[in-house]
Amino acid sequence: MSTPLEHDYIGLTETSSMERSSEKISSSSSSSSIPSIEDKTSKTANDTCLNLKETELRLGLPGSQSPERKLSLFGKDLETNDNKSNGFAGSSPLKNLVSGAKRGFSDAIDGSNGKWVFAMNCKSEVELAKGAVLASPRGGLDSKTNSQQAKTSVSVMKEVVGVPQSPKPVQDKNNLVPPVNEHASAPASKAQVVGWPPIRSFRKNNMASNLTKNSDEGAGCLYVKVSMDGAPYLRKVDLKTYNNYMEFSSALEKMFSCFTIGQCNSNGLPARDGLSESRLMDLLHGSEYVLTYEDKDGDWMLVGDVPWEMFTDSCRRLRIMKGSEAIGLAPRAMEKCKNQN
Amino acid sequence: MGSSELKRSKDSVSSDESARRSSFPDEVLERVLSLLKPHRDRSSVSLVCKDWYNAERWSRTHVFIGNCYSVSPEIVARRFPRIRSVTLKGKPRFSDFNLVPENWGADIHSWLVVFAAKYPFLEELRLKRMAISDESLEFLAISFPNFKALSLLSCDGFSTNGLAAIATHCKNLTELDIQENGVYDKGGSWLSCFPESFTSLEVLNFANLTSDINFDALEKLVGRCKSMRVLKLNRSVSLEQLQRLLVNAPRLAELGTGSFSQELTIREYEELESTLSNCKIMHTLSGLWDAKGIYLPTLYPACSNLTFLNLSYAALQSVELAKLLAHCPRLKRLWVLDTVEDKGLEAVGLNCPLLEELRVFPADPFDDEIVHGVTEAGFLAVSFGCPRLHYVLYFCRQMTNAAVATIVQNCPDFTHFRLCIMNPGQPDYLTNEPMDEAFGAVVKTCTKLQRLSVSGLLTDLTFEYIGRYAKNLETLSVAFAGRSDWGMQCVLGGCPKLRKLEIRDCPFGNAALLSGLEKYESMRSLWMSACNVTMNGCRLLAREMPRLNVEVMKEDGSDDTQAYKVYVYRSIAGPRRDAPPSVLTL
């Protein structure tokens, strides 16, 4: 497989360019002062984020770089895990454990100090570093392909991002954005490459407000958290994107399948072929896990009892709980259903 | 007419030609040529011989200038004495994306001054990426009594005061088309400046403006302009107001709605539905800001003859789009936001067999929070259902070589293929290979390809393919791609019809730049930014090619040896004199 090695635009190619690579780099660092509004706002965002990052409580050695969620394979929602979710015992320490896992992953990237190195302003470098990291796994997950691909993507990512082998550009990058900044800039407004993606200002400005309006009115999406007992992190799903329980269950199944592979096999169900529509239900009903949700009233209900629309209207969050814990749940759900009927 | 005949006899050449001329009078030739519209055909005609050159220049009424600095207004006026309509383009395209400094140039004023003297009967002015001040607009409004049509696309430097001047003074105005400009919107009172006696307006597009307009004035204007066929409102116009306007203008061919999300009563909903159902000849629909799904059905009856649907400001979901498209069987052009996702594009493939153009814009290009957007699956679905597709602009976050290969097999007639994989340098997400084979497939299969924008992880191989196969390619946009000078050299060495080459953030250096020495004079322009080109390279180019303008845009505090932004273009007007201090002409 051809790998994108030596994808370093600063003088490492076999080009017959006349200048030394270091000169290019120094010019690119100074080019960061392109006067544009976007630059200024993202710079401010960078600064703000940097401060937040420094004061954030987290597990790990002081001074170790906190991996951004953007570097995480598994989810962007970890940092949105608000502390109100007290219902989930052990969610906070779990999060930090995950941070550890993430750190290891990001170390792989930092270790080779592999970032796209471009002859342009440092912010774009930042952006591209994240972009490169983001690319494959997001693609893998978004298209709902199996996690096999996502895993391949991880290794690819490391390869792709770990590209610039020569230490020279790395050292020269010291006069560009220091690594801490680059990480810090991730969670807030994404550091932007000037003029990329190529969209006219008018469209950019108007789309943004268009979408804000939609989400304010709640028309666009309905995100709820999904937790699974024993899983190290939560997911978020947009209930509006599904039309019925079957779609929803297969989506959840894909999302959490990495945790149920063992159960799948032990039950004799094939791990990953020709999904039957209610596999998660089968899986859950047939074995260890039960899919439950917390409704508007704060009660924990069994998923599947009420019509889909009613479910999406009342569901506040979901929990895939171990069957053993759910024994007392079902009768209560049935009763409530009767009452509602 | 007498003086022009005198001129022509002065221009006469050899006796051979005069013998021929007597059997084919100039008047006839001019008459025939006056029917010829496309400017490229006219250019060809003018090269046949001197007689034809003269006949052509006397009969030409519209001039198209693709780069305002390639020629001076005096030269234009000297060659073409009878111009009524001018199209001018100014700044390099990357100025749309903030890559060109504010005060770069392309100011229309010097042109207007010459036109006022030489073309007092000028009727139309269409400008793209030019700088226009309010003073210029006022000067325009006052200087040309016959002025009919003003179209401004992606321009800047003016405010609504300038529009007020146009409205006040242009008594014969038929077209006012303000699109995607950097307008300083000082309020909507400019609309009230159209006099009560003014009835000639046929095209009104102010969708670009953000502030509230004087609706009363607008309603009256639309009411008295009985020939109005294009009306594109801005977001401040509500659904109810739209309905009131449409009652007076059922013969609209092109409609841009305002905001499509007001709270309507049942009666208002029905009224809107009924009014829209009268708009049977509508072929273009746009606007639909903040469109709420529940109101879209009011549009259904108006969509039967729709050929162009612009939903790029309406964040629709896939189901909403599918339902709407079911009523648009004749659709040829569709612009959407990627909120419709792959499912929405599947609906496109199913419902729009006549589709020729698709543009999918990203709703959230800078935000990773929300997982939306389209993938290769959506593009594939469209290609299976729409074999006539020849223009695509597609923003996505993932793509594969295999998908693109299949897409161009399904749609081999692409003339414009603009694929933007939004993460720079991203490989095929399934195979992790570069996207070389994707674009290779495009240029090999689509022999009519005129315009190509590449993205994703690309090696020099992509450019080898382009240089070798893209025989009709005229415009190429490259970003974050390539490995070495060889890539750019391949393009400059191949692509016989290349006219515009714009490159950013690629590892192309002086060797690549200089390999195009011979080529640049046959091109309109070259843009290179954030590449490896140096000042020395640019100076060498400027020295070798005196008929090219080589301009370098300096950044504050940048290294003096690097040429960070380079813009090279052919010109018969010599180096420009209005460049700001940050732009060096070498």
Side-chain angles (χ1 to χ4, degrees), chain B residues 30-246:
Chain B
E30 261 186 54
R31 184 79 182 92
V32 168
L33 292 181
S34 68
L35 301 171
L36 195 63
K37 301 293 178 210
H39 66 274
R40 281 195 211 178
D41 291 343
R42 284 193 154 264
S43 293
S44 311
V45 158
S46 68
L47 294 172
V48 169
C49 67
K50 203 148 189 195
D51 274 354
W52 282 49
Y53 177 88
N54 283 320
E56 194 280 312
R57 61 186 269 262
W58 280 98
S59 63
R60 197 190 286 219
T61 55
H62 170 245
V63 68
F64 169 86
I65 299 162
N67 175 4
C68 65
Y69 287 119
S70 63
V71 71
S72 74
E74 291 84 5
I75 295 174
V76 174
R78 212 165 32 236
R79 177 170 171 186
F80 300 113
R82 293 209 204 134
I83 295 296
R84 298 276 169 91
S85 164
V86 177
T87 302
L88 256 176
K89 296 187 180 179
K91 302 182 196 177
R93 192 178 76 99
F94 280 171
S95 75
D96 284 349
F97 318 126
N98 300 324
L99 288 181
V100 172
E102 278 284 315
N103 55 349
W104 182 83
D107 195 308
I108 189 63
H109 202 80
S110 54
W111 289 83
L112 289 177
V113 168
V114 172
F115 290 163
K118 303 289 184 184
Y119 304 138
F121 300 113
L122 189 70
E123 294 175 2
E124 296 183 1
L125 191 60
R126 298 177 196 285
L127 304 178
K128 187 169 185 180
R129 295 192 199 101
M130 299 288 294
I132 313 164
S133 65
D134 286 343
E135 289 70 33
S136 296
L137 283 172
E138 189 163 358
F139 181 78
L140 167 68
I142 297 173
S143 310
F144 303 99
N146 267 11
F147 196 72
K148 296 206 168 94
L150 178 65
S151 167
L152 303 176
L153 172 56
S154 204
C155 298
D156 60 13
F158 63 103
S159 78
T160 43
N161 289 348
L163 299 181
I166 299 284
T168 307
H169 298 290
C170 297
K171 308 269 184 276
N172 296 311
L173 199 68
T174 59
E175 176 176 340
L176 183 59
D177 183 14
I178 311 296
Q179 279 189 65
E180 298 197 32
N181 299 292
V183 190
Y184 179 20
D185 195 335
K186 290 182 177 176
S189 55
W190 61 275
L191 253 177
S192 325
C193 295
F194 285 107
E196 294 286 325
S197 54
F198 174 78
T199 60
S200 51
L201 204 58
E202 298 171 21
V203 174
L204 178 60
N205 176 2
F206 61 94
N208 190 184
L209 303 176
T210 44
S211 60
D212 292 355
I213 42 99
N214 181 340
F215 182 72
D216 198 49
L218 176 64
E219 199 176 6
K220 292 202 180 100
L221 180 68
V222 173
R224 63 179 186 268
C225 294
K226 300 290 181 203
S227 310
M228 192 166 278
R229 49 186 176 80
V230 175
L231 179 61
K232 297 189 182 173
L233 310 166
N234 75 353
R235 206 175 189 165
S236 73
V237 177
S238 70
L239 271 178
E240 195 208 329
Q241 289 173 331
L242 171 69
Q243 192 268 332
R244 279 160 61 185
L245 289 173
L246 287 179

Side-chain angles (χ1 to χ4, degrees), chain A residues 1-20 22-28 30-38 69-70 76 80 116 118-121 124 127-128 130-132 134-143 145 149 152-153 155-157 159-160 187-211 213-215 217 219-221 223 238 240-241 243 247, chain B residues 93-94 96-99 128-129 153-154 180-181 207-210 235 259 261 288-292 310 312-317 319 335 337 339 341 343 361-372 375-376 395 397-398 420-434 454-455 457-458 460 479-485 489 504-511 514 529-532 534 536-537 540 555-559 561-562 564-565:
Chain A
M1 160 165 69
S2 67
T3 52
L5 296 174
E6 300 132 23
H7 204 175
D8 172 358
Y9 299 155
I10 310 279
L12 286 190
T13 60
E14 53 273 26
T15 178
S16 55
S17 53
M18 301 172 195
E19 306 298 309
R20 303 273 306 143
S22 53
E23 287 178 38
K24 291 189 200 100
I25 292 160
S26 57
S27 75
S28 68
S30 51
S31 68
S32 61
S33 58
I34 294 171
S36 89
I37 296 172
E38 288 149 348
R69 75 184 117 138
K70 296 233 185 296
K76 309 161 290 302
T80 64
W116 294 116
F118 287 104
M120 48 194 240
N121 66 50
S124 39
E127 167 53 17
L128 293 170
K130 281 186 275 295
L134 268 176
S136 309
R138 279 199 58 214
L141 292 172
D142 290 355
S143 62
T145 51
Q149 286 161 358
T152 329
S153 315
S155 52
V156 166
M157 255 176 3
E159 219 177 287
V160 157
S189 67
K190 187 165 166 174
Q192 292 176 21
V193 177
V194 174
W196 189 266
I199 299 165
R200 285 193 187 137
S201 313
F202 177 72
R203 183 173 293 284
K204 259 193 297 198
N205 298 338
N206 282 277
M207 278 196 303
S209 46
N210 201 12
L211 284 162
K213 276 197 168 194
N214 274 349
S215 54
E217 291 159 6
C221 49
Y223 278 91
D238 177 1
K240 286 263 189 279
T241 61
N243 297 315
E247 283 181 21
Chain B
R93 192 178 76 99
F94 280 171
D96 284 349
F97 318 126
N98 300 324
L99 288 181
K128 187 169 185 180
R129 295 192 199 101
L153 172 56
S154 204
E180 298 197 32
N181 299 292
N208 190 184
L209 303 176
T210 44
R235 206 175 189 165
S259 174
S261 73
L288 299 170
W289 310 89
D290 321 308
K292 272 203 177 142
N310 180 354
S312 60
Y313 293 104
L316 296 190
Q317 305 297 308
V319 175
W335 295 17
L337 281 180
T339 51
E341 299 187 343
K343 266 201 151 164
F361 295 96
D364 265 324
F366 308 111
D367 191 353
D368 280 337
E369 288 284 321
I370 305 211
V371 178
H372 273 319
T375 71
E376 77 281 9
F395 285 86
R397 290 187 172 90
Q398 67 187 50
C420 181
I421 303 168
M422 286 191 279
N423 284 318
Q426 179 176 309
D428 177 322
Y429 81 97
L430 287 182
T431 65
N432 303 307
E433 286 175 357
V454 298
S455 60
L457 179 64
L458 300 174
D460 289 340
F480 308 106
R483 290 251 182 94
S484 71
D485 287 333
Q489 285 167 337
R504 61 166 294 180
D505 297 281
C506 296
F508 303 140
N510 292 332
L514 295 170
S529 63
C531 298
N532 292 345
T534 69
N536 283 337
L540 188 61
E555 303 289 326
D556 285 334
S558 65
D559 177 6
T561 57
Q562 280 302 106
Y564 190 64
K565 287 178 186 167

Side-chain angles (χ1 to χ4, degrees), chain A residues 255-270:
Chain A
M255 250 187 223
F256 287 94
S257 58
C258 44
F259 303 111
T260 59
I261 287 174
Q263 284 76 18
C264 263
N265 291 333
S266 64
N267 281 338
L269 293 170

Side-chain angles (χ1 to χ4, degrees), chain A residues 196 198-200 203, chain B residues 93-94 96-97 128-129 335 357-361 379 390-396 399 414-421 439 442 449-455 473 475-477 502:
Chain A
W196 189 266
I199 299 165
R200 285 193 187 137
R203 183 173 293 284
Chain B
R93 192 178 76 99
F94 280 171
D96 284 349
F97 318 126
K128 187 169 185 180
R129 295 192 199 101
W335 295 17
E357 174 179 329
L358 175 69
R359 301 196 195 197
V360 182
F361 295 96
F379 199 169
H390 69 83
Y391 191 121
V392 79
L393 170 61
Y394 200 80
F395 285 86
C396 58
M399 189 52 63
F414 272 114
T415 55
H416 298 68
F417 193 91
R418 303 165 64 186
L419 176 63
C420 181
I421 303 168
F439 294 104
V442 172
L449 195 70
Q450 293 169 25
R451 181 170 181 184
L452 179 64
S453 298
V454 298
S455 60
L473 191 66
T475 305
L476 178 62
S477 303
E502 44 185 33

